[in-house]
Amino acid sequence: MSESQPAVPGTVRPGGRTAKVRAAVLEATEDALAATGFHALNMDQVAAAAGVGKTTVYRRWGTPVGLVTDLLRDMADRSLPSADTGTLEGDLRANAALVLKTLTDPRMAAVFRAVIAAAACDEDCADALRGFYRARLTEWAPVVARATERGELDADTDAVEVLRAVSAPLYYRFMISREPLGPDVADRAVNAALAAARAGVFAAGRAGN
Amino acid sequence: MSESQPAVPGTVRPGGRTAKVRAAVLEATEDALAATGFHALNMDQVAAAAGVGKTTVYRRWGTPVGLVTDLLRDMADRSLPSADTGTLEGDLRANAALVLKTLTDPRMAAVFRAVIAAAACDEDCADALRGFYRARLTEWAPVVARATERGELDADTDAVEVLRAVSAPLYYRFMISREPLGPDVADRAVNAALAAARAGVFAAGRAGN
């Protein structure tokens, strides 16, 4: 997929070439982050692994952090449908299991550490990281909305805040305190989120007291 | 404090010189992380800012991540006494306020983002970050121990788990979802931790259900 190679009529649809280059470059970026982290991310190596010309990669993504920023935008666009087990507890356990699976998978753990580290160095990348988590949290919000409809929680419960409460203890150990993660941690995160939600702690617009 | 300058007898105690070089280098490291982040941390600039010879800095710390690792060890040694307000709620609010103050102070926010990002790139640095949070969490554990003595919580409550629950929502927004932090977030983190602790979620050795 060298940039100097002319498109063969009939094999590449309008817009298809750009999309294919992007897909190849972002896959190579994710591979590189998984293998060596953000610290060692190298534009030339990404271009070579993607089979794309260096000048294309430099012109379009600019810097290593530019690659990570675009990867995050792409990750935000990938849909991860939320669970619908019939109970809030079941749905939150499914959510915690998904977060745990991601953060304990060797490849995905390395990718997530790398993108979070990259976002610490650059505001555009931080915006993309924010957008990624906003997409994920919003996608799962119906889980809490259904629980309020079933009367499991007060109608004014802030759905996203419940979901943040499930994720936060897992990410805290993963990225901050660097402590082990296992099913016990996921279970406890759900139990704590449920106890707080049922106590009305996550009422919308009621931050304090 | 050039390394080629001989110590003046009587002005430097045995061991004092090494300690002074370390203090100057770690202060310069923290200044650099606050100003430009881990991504741009430069050994030569740290040496110049510390007034220490480059070769000393390279020989003793090796790499930028070596500087951050030693800074984290130094940070872990600085004591931050825990509160004793007479109630668990008061003590946890003091703890959350301290975390919030750190993560919303422009200098300290930049330093913490940088050290967490550095730890994502290097296992020794991750060990030092783990040690830093272990020291902080352990320092505040008596807050929960006193609450169990007063009968505010079950005797088998895992003290450190209660404190992790206070910190995690703040760090999640600070480093992961990159969302705003304010007193409302700190209040909600304490309320959620209290509700979960009172519901017995943080019983030691009882991770699941």
Side-chain angles (χ1 to χ4, degrees):
Chain A
M1 205 186 283
S2 160
E3 71 196 305
S4 57
Q5 185 188 311
V8 180
T11 61
V12 179
R13 291 161 304 161
R17 177 174 170 70
T18 300
K20 279 184 187 174
V21 166
R22 184 181 181 225
V25 167
L26 295 186
E27 190 184 340
T29 299
E30 197 177 294
D31 288 346
L33 293 178
T36 54
F38 172 62
H39 200 50
L41 187 63
N42 180 291
M43 305 280 283
D44 294 358
Q45 287 170 10
V46 166
V52 171
K54 282 187 202 180
T55 52
T56 297
V57 174
Y58 280 96
R59 194 176 59 234
R60 187 150 164 206
W61 286 277
T63 59
V65 83
L67 286 170
V68 175
T69 303
D70 199 33
L71 175 63
L72 277 165
R73 290 190 190 118
D74 183 60
M75 287 165 68
D77 290 340
R78 295 180 216 163
S79 186
L80 256 165
S82 60
D84 188 1
T85 64
T87 66
L88 177 63
E89 179 171 342
D91 290 352
L92 294 185
R93 294 215 185 279
N95 181 259
L98 193 63
V99 175
L100 178 68
K101 190 182 166 196
T102 301
L103 302 185
T104 54
D105 174 81
R107 176 184 169 92
M108 293 316 292
V111 170
F112 273 80
R113 284 224 172 86
V115 298
I116 295 166
C121 308
D122 182 89
E123 279 308 308
D124 283 346
C125 193
D127 282 343
L129 188 67
R130 187 180 301 117
F132 169 76
Y133 285 106
R134 191 186 304 123
R136 282 289 168 281
L137 292 166
T138 306
E139 200 152 31
W140 279 75
V143 151
V144 180
R146 285 194 303 264
T148 61
E149 284 161 20
R150 286 188 300 255
E152 288 190 72
L153 292 178
D154 290 346
D156 66 346
T157 304
D158 181 333
V160 171
E161 198 55 36
V162 176
L163 295 164
R164 285 190 191 100
V166 173
S167 278
L170 292 156
Y171 275 98
Y172 178 77
R173 283 171 173 264
F174 173 71
M175 194 74 193
I176 313 297
S177 70
R178 302 300 297 259
E179 295 171 292
L181 276 175
D184 57 328
V185 178
D187 285 345
R188 203 160 42 215
V190 172
N191 297 344
L194 281 171
R198 288 170 182 156
V201 169
F202 303 132
R206 181 191 165 216
N209 60 57
Chain B
M1 204 187 283
S2 160
E3 71 194 307
S4 58
Q5 184 189 313
V8 180
T11 61
V12 180
R13 291 162 304 162
R17 175 173 172 69
T18 299
K20 279 184 185 174
V21 166
R22 182 179 183 228
V25 167
L26 294 186
E27 190 183 340
T29 299
E30 195 176 297
D31 289 346
L33 293 178
T36 54
F38 172 61
H39 201 50
L41 188 63
N42 179 292
M43 305 282 283
D44 294 358
Q45 287 170 12
V46 166
V52 171
K54 283 186 204 182
T55 51
T56 297
V57 174
Y58 280 95
R59 193 175 58 233
R60 187 150 163 205
W61 286 278
T63 59
V65 83
L67 286 169
V68 175
T69 302
D70 198 34
L71 174 63
L72 277 165
R73 289 189 192 120
D74 183 60
M75 287 166 67
D77 290 341
R78 296 180 214 162
S79 186
L80 255 166
S82 60
D84 188 1
T85 64
T87 66
L88 176 63
E89 179 171 343
D91 290 352
L92 294 186
R93 294 217 185 277
N95 181 261
L98 193 64
V99 174
L100 177 68
K101 189 183 167 195
T102 301
L103 301 185
T104 55
D105 174 81
R107 177 184 168 90
M108 292 317 290
V111 169
F112 272 79
R113 282 223 174 87
V115 298
I116 294 164
C121 309
D122 182 88
E123 280 308 308
D124 282 346
C125 193
D127 282 343
L129 189 67
R130 187 179 301 117
F132 170 76
Y133 284 106
R134 190 187 304 123
R136 281 289 167 282
L137 292 166
T138 306
E139 199 151 32
W140 279 76
V143 151
V144 180
R146 285 193 305 265
T148 62
E149 284 161 21
R150 285 188 302 254
E152 287 191 74
L153 293 178
D154 289 344
D156 66 346
T157 304
D158 180 333
V160 170
E161 198 54 37
V162 176
L163 295 164
R164 286 190 191 100
V166 172
S167 278
L170 292 156
Y171 274 97
Y172 179 77
R173 284 172 170 262
F174 172 71
M175 194 74 193
I176 312 297
S177 69
R178 301 300 298 261
E179 295 172 291
L181 275 176
D184 56 329
V185 178
D187 284 346
R188 205 162 39 218
V190 171
N191 297 344
L194 281 171
R198 288 169 182 156
V201 169
F202 303 132
R206 181 192 164 217
N209 59 55

